[in-house]
């Protein structure tokens, strides 16, 4: 698993959230008929299984090892153990030939995605010195087509990685599935706050909360702005001053920032932390219009500082009631790719880039430099005033990622890979990045819009299409990638 998210300005300043570790169920096996025929083979294969376990533990996984199986009866016992363990993914290690009857019940009874791996001892056999017993340690790939065929006939999704124990290409591919399992775990166990109400008229943003739980798992907690109001009201002057001091450490403050606006944003930030803690939230989406400067309008306008600090710690917050994008931000952050709230801003045909970003919460850890706090007398299209975050994403490879929705309610993962490049940026208190997707900006915009994406998504560091594809595969939802213009 890789982690591209880091920021020197945040090291030792913001405490990252500690997530539930990815729970990997492991079962290794081979055909029991071999053991009496070839003494020493079973011990060698068990040693290989120990090596695999240690690699998973080095990834930070919690490994539930169901042991080494040699026949369908032992497979049945392993399946029951793994069923009870509530794993995020089951890894079946084919150490040598075994029958599909030893693998199928594990996939059927656990109701958990299965990754089949076969990792032979070395790159290749030493043929002149290899007898039948030694060869059998190299034939874990032999049953792979058998298992794949039976999975297909049983309606079970099949995924596999073939290689050797010290094959880093294979371990990169395995790591991608483990990262995807982390996403599955985050979604299955996640608690997602939804506070306020829909931005009037944003029909694409509207999301059925039941579909979130039914397709991804987890729970959507419906919150009132009053839940935030009562917590902000109890923030002390000392706590507000501490949060202002934190803001000054994390941000560069523009001269337009007013002290009273910064103090209010700090109080809202402390209250927001309490709200997240009290409701045990893993993500949050919010919006409230308000009127004439009343308290709810001021709360909504004061969210940006606290929301950005939470997002940088791994608890993503999205504005405009954008639940699907706050989920996308959580998925991106779980993969170690950051993920900042984004929409289209303009197309630059002269430089061949798409300019994108958003006002409001941002992922500070993926900023190209120290993020700026700018004071605004008006938020375009919204009520209120206060401080807002301004930066561009780190220059280099990025992936745009969003969750689309079909007419039947099915969610989909939608991605496109590009590169953030330097150049002139807006200075209006928004995040803005110039992204080069490798073809005409207008054609990219048409292709991207045709996928079913909403008008918000997240920008992530690194080229991550394969990572998001693996996560979609484990979650059982469609995956779409924009890598060139439409045919029309």
């Amino acid at each position: 698993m890789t982690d591209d998210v880091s920021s020197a300005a945040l090291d030792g300043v913001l405490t990252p959230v500690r997530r539930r570790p990815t729970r990997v169920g492991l079962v290794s096996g081979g055909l029991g008929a071999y053991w009496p025929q070839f003494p020493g083979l079973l011990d060698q294969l068990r040693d290989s299984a120990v090596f695999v376990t240690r690699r998973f533990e080095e990834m930070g996984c919690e490994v539930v090892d169901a042991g080494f199986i040699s026949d369908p009866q032992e497979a049945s016992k392993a399946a029951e153990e793994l069923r009870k363990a509530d794993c995020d993914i089951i890894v079946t290690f084919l150490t040598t030939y075994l029958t599909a009857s030893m693998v199928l019940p594990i996939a059927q009874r656990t109701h958990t995605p299965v990754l089949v791996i076969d990792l032979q001892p070395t790159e290749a056999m030493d043929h002149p010195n290899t007898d039948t017993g030694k060869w059998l340690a190299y034939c874990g790939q032999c049953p792979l087509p058998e298992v794949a065929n039976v999975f297909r006939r049983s309606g079970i999704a099949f995924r596999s990685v073939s290689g050797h124990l010290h094959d880093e290409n294979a371990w990169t591919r395995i790591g991608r599935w483990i990262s995807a399992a982390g996403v599955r775990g985050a979604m299955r166990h996640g608690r997602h706050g939804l506070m306020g109400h829909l931005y009037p008229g944003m029909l694409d943003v509207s999301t059925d909360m039941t579909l979130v739980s039914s397709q991804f798992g987890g729970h959507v907690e419906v919150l009132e702005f009053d839940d935030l109001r009562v917590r902000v009201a109890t923030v002390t002057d000392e706590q507000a001053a501490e949060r202002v001091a934190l803001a000054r450490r994390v941000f560069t403050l523009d001269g337009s920032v007013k002290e009273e606006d910064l103090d209010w944003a700090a109080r809202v930030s402390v209250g927001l932390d309490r709200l997240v803690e009290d409701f045990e939230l893993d993500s949050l989406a919010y919006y409230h219009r308000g009127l004439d400067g009343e308290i709810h309008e001021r709360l909504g306008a004061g969210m940006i500082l606290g929301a950005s600090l939470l997002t940088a710690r791994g608890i993503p917050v999205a504005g405009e009631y954008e639940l699907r994008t706050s989920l996308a931000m959580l998925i991106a952050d779980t993969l170690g790719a950051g993920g900042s709230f984004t929409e289209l801003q303009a197309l630059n045909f002269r430089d061949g880039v798409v300019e994108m970003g958003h006002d409001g919460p941002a992922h500070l850890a993926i900023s190209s430099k120290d993020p700026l706090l700018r004071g605004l007398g008006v938020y375009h299209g919204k009520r209120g005033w206060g401080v807002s975050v301004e930066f561009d994403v780190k220059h280099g490879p990025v992936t745009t990622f969003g969750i689309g929705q079909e007419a039947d309610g099915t969610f989909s993962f939608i991605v496109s890979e590009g590169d953030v490049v330097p150049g002139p940026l807006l200075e209006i208190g928004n995040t803005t990045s110039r992204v080069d997707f490798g073809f005409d900006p207008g054609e990219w915009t048409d292709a991207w819009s045709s996928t079913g994406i909403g008008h918000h998504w997240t920008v992530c560091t690194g080229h991550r299409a394969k990572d998001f594809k693996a996560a979609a595969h484990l979650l059982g939802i469609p995956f779409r990638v924009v890598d060139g213009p439409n045919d029309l």
Side-chain angles (χ1 to χ4, degrees), residues 113 300 315 321 386 456:
I315 304 173
Y321 212 62
H456 297 124

Side-chain angles (χ1 to χ4, degrees), residues 228 232 235 243 246 263-275 302-303 305-307 309-310:
L228 178 61
V232 172
V235 175
R243 189 54 52 96
L246 174 63
D263 176 78
W264 176 247
R267 291 176 185 273
V268 175
S269 175
V270 174
L272 193 55
D273 283 0
R274 292 176 179 173
L275 181 81
M303 290 278 290
L305 172 63
L309 292 173
L310 280 170

Side-chain angles (χ1 to χ4, degrees), residues 18 38 44 59 72 111 142 159 172 181 298 301 387 392 425:
R18 295 185 64 182
F38 304 102
Q44 179 185 359
M59 294 179 186
H111 301 288
C142 179
R159 50 193 74 85
T172 295
R298 294 291 292 127
V387 297
D392 67 327
L425 299 170

Side-chain angles (χ1 to χ4, degrees), residues 416-477:
S416 188
E417 294 180 339
D419 293 275
V420 173
V421 297
L425 299 170
L426 291 172
E427 297 180 358
I428 59 171
N430 282 208
T431 61
T432 304
S433 296
R434 294 158 44 91
V435 187
D436 181 354
F437 290 100
F439 59 103
D440 180 80
E443 292 185 273
W444 180 87
T445 301
D446 291 334
W448 181 248
S449 300
S450 71
T451 61
I453 193 75
H455 82 279
H456 297 124
W457 52 88
T458 182
V459 171
C460 320
T461 55
H463 284 165
R464 298 283 185 160
K466 291 182 178 179
D467 299 319
F468 290 118
K469 185 177 182 179
H473 202 278
L474 288 194
L475 291 167
I477 63 173

